[in-house]
Structures are given as structure tokens and as C-alpha cells.
Amino acid sequence: MPSPRGVLSLLLLSLTAQAAEYRVGPGQSLASIGEVPWESLQPGDTVFIHARPTPYQEKWVLGVRGTAAAPITVRGVPDAAGNLPVIQGENATTRTQLNFWNEQRGIVKIGGANRPADTMPAYLVVENLHLKRARGAFTGRNGASRYLDNAAAIFIEKGEHITIRGCVLEDSGNGLFIANESSDILVERNHLHGNGNSGSIYEHNAYTEALGITYQFNRFGPLCAGCLGNNLKDRSGGTVIRYNWIEGGNRQLDLVESDSETIRADPSYARTFVYGNVLLEPAGAGNAQVIHFGGDNGTAAQYRSQLYLFNNTILSTRTDRTTLMRLSTNAQTAYVTSNAYLVEGNTGRSLALTDAAGTIRHGGNFYETGYTSTFGTLTGTIEETARNLQGDAPGLVDIAGQDFHLLENSPLRGAAVAPPPEAASLVVDWQYGKHRAAEPRAVSSPGHIGAYGDPAGPSTETPDAGSGAPDAGPAGPGAPGKAEDKGGCGAAGGGFAGPLGLVLLVAFALRRKWVG
């Protein structure tokens, strides 16, 4: 049996033999993105793309596998002013050694290729890139081509343990598109805005369908002018949407059924968790409903069933009516606790909880005085599970200036209630920082209503999205069980632990091979 020293030596040799760094840009040895050997990247490799005054007009596929200990990373390097490298899809070219289908669907594509040989991509990190204009013409494997209307800045056709971090995704059909052969996806600290197509309801800032996806600390801005899509449309199982800033869109959140039998069969599909977010409904912005939950394909048996909505701050500046949510059928249940619902420049009488159907179980929320159950005919059920507050002065720092922190005398302090048991492990100990920052939030009992509490002191780490979807437990409203964060996002490099991991990481850093 090999000795521990021998095992360590073999691991070190393996890591140092494969790990490489490729640096692209001004003053670097590689002048173009196409000079990177994308088809042969190995675990631990890192591609650095340095910012330059003019955009890169190149596109590529990631069809390779890293490991939990050594992910493959594509990282933008900002210039002295903090500008990210801009990669423009319009008029882009592709390295001739790459050959992949669905070129017309995105600028950066993950999964689905002939060269490199087709595989399930895994443990990939794409961060700090500014990707724009998956529109118009490009040159691909068959020469001159054009993007489809639904082309995305980043298109994940398939992949597992993927992290998209710190990117700007704009001016494309979809900002981010993830197809349903994907799993364990982390989307954090990105800015998605200005996507969609004028007059079309079918393209969105983000359109995703994965088994296990977490959105955190992202800024979602308005879609492009005249674009009718939603801000975040999701068909995933095990969806967690937390600590984001989501402004505008036809709806801020459109959470509907999956087309994948695999995703629908997973226990995590039963429960969707939305907490700690700021949701902003601007005047005149599309549908008056902030959230749609359930499904949209007409097959009600496939629809999502349970939404857990807690500790969000939701502000409407519409001059007409605002409806907080639409549940697709009476089979949907929303557990609504400790949220702050505000209507600025209007009255609470312009605010309704629901469209018509489904069950809403709500308690510990703050509503503007005079809210109503529905503006139409209630066909579902509304149950008050704990006292809800009503008032005209929520006690926030500056609503008009979009500072939703609590004043010392805010009635939202200490008025929150505990979420249902299924969400008990999802502790609200962070909050969104303007913009794309993470602020630690003190955990208190009783807690505070809304997306903001008291600061918990400085911290350099953000929450771990986990290695998959929270455990949804048994299906059905009120079923026992609780969500669990399984820990260790592999694509973020979690997986080394203890002295051996430390030794390996140090050796990996010191003995990294430079290429280009």
C-alpha cells in the first residue's frame, strides 16, 4: 500500500503537470482569445483575459471538465480604472480548432461540441467578463452566420458544478440561458440588464432550467427598451433566489414548470425558496404582477407547488394597481412571511396580495395601509398565520433613494416571524449591498421584517451555495422536513480540507506552470 508521502507526491505531480495559466491581452503573450487552446484545458487551468480599450470580438465553447479540487477558470482582469474586458458577440470569430453546434445561441457556450469531444462539462468558473451583443453576424464553423433571436451572452447547454460570477451580461436576446441538462449552478454578483428583443415576451435577462441553481448578490436591471420579457424566468428544481436586486421586467420573477422529467421527479422540485431580495416594480413596467409561480404550459400536473417567500423588500412605484403574485392554479401554495411590501407615491388600496387562485399563508409581513386580497374574484384561499402589520411609515432610511435599511425606530424591527419548518435552515444572515456586494446581517430573535437588518460586522466570505439543491423533503403543502445546504460548491474550489488540502494548495500555487 502506498505511503501517505507517496500519495501526496503523486497528487502534487498530477496537479503541477496539468495546471497552466494562459494570459490574453495587451502586454501578454497571447494577443487573442482564439490563441487559447480551449479544446485541451485541464483541471486547474486558468485563462486570464485582460481588459483592453477595444472589445474582443471572439466566441468559444467550454467543453471540458475540471475537478472539485481544481476547477477550470476563465477570469477577466480589469484595467486600472476597474473596467472589465468586453467581449462582443457581433462580428465575432471562433478558433478554428473548435467545432461545436448551436453556435448561433451564444457568445460563450458551455457543453455540446465535436472538438473538443462531447462530454458533460464540470467544475467550471466563468468570472469578471463583460459579455454583450449576441446579435447580428458572426463567423463560425460554416463561415458567415447569424445569431438567433434567443441567443445569450452565456449559454449553458449542459454542465454540472458551474459558477458564473462577477460578469456583466447585456444587450443580447437572453443575458443568461441554461438548458435542462445542467445541474448545481451558482450565479452570483453578476449584472444582467438591457437584454431581450423589442416587442417579444420570449427573451429575458435570465432564462434558466437546471437541477439545483442558486442566484445570490446579483443585480438585475431593466430589459432593453420595448422588450417585454421577464427579468428572471426559471424552470429549475431546487431553486434558491436570495440577496438579489431585481428591478423591472414584465415580471420580476416568473417561476414556472420544468420541461424535464428528470427535474420534475427530483424531490427538490416541490419547493422554491426566495428570500432576502429587493424587488422593484417601476411605474409603467409591463405586467402589474411582481411574481408568477406555478406553470405556463397548460399541464397543471407538471407545475411547481410550493413557494417560500420571506424577508424580501418589495417596492412598487406604479401609479396604478400592483398585485404581488399570481399563483397559476389552486394547487400552488405560497408561504409568505416577514416581507415588507411598499407602494410609493400611491396608497395601500392600490396593492393586492394575489390575482385569484392558489393558497397564500401569510404572517409577520408589513403592508401599506389598506391593501386588499385581490382586485378580481378570489378563487383560492388566503390564510393569516400570524399578525401582519399595516402602516404608512415603514421606517426605512430613504425609500426614494432606494436605501431600504431600517431606521432605529422602524416598526419592522423585531416584528418578523419564523418561516415554515421547511425553510428553517435557510438563515437570513446576509443582505444585498449596492451594488453586487454582500453585507453580513446580524441574526436576532425576534428578527426584523424585510431584506435588511442590522450589520453583523465585516466578513470576507459569502454564503456557500452548496453542492446541489436544498433537500425539499416530502411534497405537499405543510409536509414535514427542512431544506439543507449540503455545503461545498465544487466549482468555487471547495473540497480541500485539513492539512493535506493546505499543502496541496500551496504547492499548486507555487509550482503553477505558465503558458504564453
Side-chain angles (χ1 to χ4, degrees):
M1 179 179 292
S3 67
R5 184 183 299 274
V7 172
L8 178 59
S9 298
L10 287 173
L11 287 170
L12 289 173
L13 285 171
S14 174
L15 285 173
T16 56
Q18 296 182 35
E21 291 185 349
Y22 302 89
R23 292 186 174 268
V24 180
Q28 310 302 316
S29 295
L30 302 181
S32 69
I33 293 171
E35 294 180 61
V36 176
W38 298 103
E39 65 280 1
S40 58
L41 294 179
Q42 298 296 315
D45 286 356
T46 301
V47 178
F48 295 92
I49 301 176
H50 291 252
R52 67 183 193 184
T54 58
Y56 296 90
Q57 291 180 290
E58 302 182 70
K59 63 199 304 292
W60 67 94
V61 68
L62 286 168
V64 290
R65 293 180 62 88
T67 67
I72 295 171
T73 302
V74 182
R75 178 177 299 147
V77 180
D79 61 20
N83 299 306
L84 298 179
V86 176
I87 300 166
Q88 180 174 300
E90 190 171 30
N91 298 320
T93 60
T94 300
R95 173 180 170 87
T96 57
Q97 290 88 339
L98 295 175
N99 184 293
F100 56 99
W101 55 84
N102 279 337
E103 296 173 295
Q104 69 275 29
R105 291 292 307 277
I107 302 172
V108 173
K109 179 173 181 278
I110 297 177
N114 298 306
R115 289 196 308 270
D118 189 34
T119 188
M120 177 62 74
Y123 297 105
L124 304 177
V125 179
V126 178
E127 60 187 8
N128 299 340
L129 300 177
H130 185 164
L131 295 144
K132 61 185 291 186
R133 291 201 63 77
R135 302 186 187 277
F138 69 91
T139 302
R141 60 178 178 168
N142 296 318
S145 303
R146 296 190 66 83
Y147 292 100
L148 297 178
D149 287 344
N150 62 352
I154 296 179
F155 170 40
I156 303 179
E157 182 168 310
K158 60 181 179 180
E160 55 191 13
H161 317 301
I162 309 294
T163 295
I164 308 297
R165 177 190 296 123
C167 294
V168 178
L169 309 179
E170 68 162 323
D171 195 11
S172 299
N174 292 292
L176 174 65
F177 189 98
I178 301 178
N180 61 28
E181 289 187 67
S182 306
S183 63
D184 189 17
I185 309 295
L186 173 62
V187 183
E188 67 175 359
R189 296 179 183 256
N190 302 284
H191 186 191
L192 300 92
H193 68 102
N195 298 291
N197 289 306
S198 181
S200 173
I201 64 172
Y202 297 110
E203 294 82 37
H204 319 281
N205 270 335
Y207 193 3
T208 54
E209 184 172 14
L211 181 55
I213 187 167
T214 296
Y215 285 93
Q216 60 185 21
F217 307 110
N218 300 287
R219 181 185 184 186
F220 287 83
L223 280 73
C224 56
C227 298
L228 306 179
N230 298 299
N231 216 322
L232 195 172
K233 180 158 187 162
D234 181 72
R235 297 182 180 274
S236 301
T239 300
V240 176
I241 300 170
R242 61 187 182 185
Y243 315 128
N244 301 280
W245 184 281
I246 305 177
E247 182 172 3
N250 182 51
R251 295 186 180 98
Q252 283 67 35
L253 297 175
D254 192 21
L255 310 174
V256 292
E257 84 291 334
S258 175
D259 295 324
S260 164
E261 292 183 6
T262 300
I263 292 176
R264 294 199 305 270
D266 193 272
S268 69
Y269 183 64
R271 293 175 180 158
T272 299
F273 299 92
V274 178
Y275 62 96
N277 303 281
V278 174
L279 306 179
L280 302 177
E281 171 71 11
N287 198 303
Q289 300 161 4
V290 177
I291 300 170
H292 174 218
F293 180 78
D296 61 7
N297 71 357
T299 306
Q302 297 179 357
Y303 288 5
R304 288 167 144 160
S305 59
Q306 298 169 65
L307 171 65
Y308 296 81
L309 185 74
F310 55 100
N311 284 105
N312 301 281
T313 294
I314 302 174
L315 169 66
S316 173
T317 54
R318 298 181 72 96
T319 56
D320 56 353
R321 294 172 168 179
T322 301
T323 298
L324 295 178
M325 71 178 65
R326 176 190 166 214
L327 303 178
S328 296
T329 74
N330 282 338
Q332 278 69 56
T333 298
Y335 301 87
V336 180
T337 55
S338 306
N339 303 283
Y341 298 112
L342 315 171
V343 285
E344 183 71 1
N346 210 328
T347 68
R349 293 176 180 83
S350 65
L351 177 67
L353 291 183
T354 187
D355 179 51
T359 297
I360 292 181
R361 307 185 76 240
H362 70 133
N365 302 285
F366 177 89
Y367 300 108
E368 296 277 352
T369 301
Y371 79 94
T372 188
S373 297
T374 179
F375 296 127
T377 301
L378 184 66
T379 58
T381 303
I382 295 178
E383 304 173 12
E384 189 169 41
T385 58
R387 177 174 174 263
N388 292 290
L389 303 181
Q390 290 193 58
D392 299 315
L396 306 185
V397 171
D398 184 0
I399 295 177
Q402 298 186 334
D403 184 345
F404 305 115
H405 291 82
L406 306 184
L407 295 171
E408 287 300 321
N409 62 348
S410 172
L412 279 60
R413 290 185 173 276
V417 300
E422 299 87 351
S425 68
L426 299 176
V427 179
V428 183
D429 51 4
W430 292 87
Q431 56 198 23
Y432 182 86
K434 292 174 66 174
H435 274 296
R436 296 192 287 160
E439 298 178 357
R441 173 174 173 166
V443 178
S444 60
S445 183
H448 307 320
I449 291 174
Y452 290 93
D454 294 316
S459 177
T460 58
E461 297 185 357
T462 52
D464 188 345
S467 60
D471 182 2
K482 74 176 184 179
E484 297 176 358
D485 188 334
K486 300 178 181 177
C489 179
F496 279 114
L500 176 59
L502 181 60
V503 170
L504 288 174
L505 283 172
V506 171
F508 184 46
L510 291 176
R511 300 183 62 186
R512 182 181 282 275
K513 181 176 68 175
W514 289 69
V515 176

